Amino acid sequence: MVERQEADRLAAILKASSDPSRRSILTLLAQEGPLRITDIAARYDISLNSVSKHIKVLEAAGLVTRRTEWREHLIEIQMEPLSLVDQWFNELRSIWALRLDALEAALKEDDND
C-alpha cells in the first residue's frame, strides 16, 4: 500500500510540475522565499485568478504550502516532495547503468571471440 501511495504522490508531483508556469513559480519561490500570491502574479503576464489556480495545483501536490500572517497569505516552496522525484530518477539511472554494463560486457565478449 505504501508503494502505491508513493507512486500516486510521485504522479501528482510530476503532473503539477509539468506546466511551465508552475515550474517557474516554484523556481521563483525557491530563489526568493515565501511570497504573497499578488507578488507572484505581478511577475507574470497572467491573471491573478490563473496564478491562484496554479498555486492550488502546487498545494495539492504538496510542492507549496500556504501560511497566514495577519491578513497576508504567504506561499512557500516545500522541497521534501522533490526527494521522491530524485529517488525515481536514481532508480532509472541504476537500471540504465545495469543495462549499459551488460552491453559493455557483451561487446567485450564479442571482441574476445
Side-chain angles (χ1 to χ4, degrees), residues 10-109:
L10 176 61
I13 292 165
L14 292 172
K15 184 176 180 181
S17 62
S18 69
D19 181 273
S21 295
R22 290 193 285 267
R23 285 194 310 274
S24 180
I25 290 169
L26 288 172
T27 301
L28 176 66
L29 291 170
Q31 291 172 338
E32 300 202 11
L35 293 170
R36 297 177 308 149
I37 292 179
T38 53
D39 294 333
I40 296 168
R43 310 279 180 103
Y44 297 94
D45 202 19
I46 57 178
S47 71
L48 178 62
N49 192 37
S50 292
V51 170
S52 183
K53 287 179 181 179
H54 284 306
I55 295 296
K56 286 178 183 177
V57 171
L58 293 170
E59 279 181 298
L63 292 168
V64 299
T65 56
R66 181 186 310 249
R67 66 183 159 94
T68 305
E69 290 183 3
W70 298 96
R71 294 176 54 175
E72 302 289 323
H73 289 255
L74 295 173
I75 307 302
E76 186 171 13
I77 191 167
Q78 297 300 306
M79 300 300 286
E80 183 274 327
L82 297 177
S83 66
L84 281 177
V85 177
D86 284 340
Q87 181 182 346
W88 179 62
F89 276 119
N90 285 333
E91 289 171 11
L92 288 178
R93 279 188 210 99
S94 296
I95 292 167
W96 274 103
L98 290 172
R99 294 182 81 179
L100 290 173
D101 289 346
L103 177 61
E104 183 180 17
L107 291 173
K108 284 182 180 177
E109 193 174 292

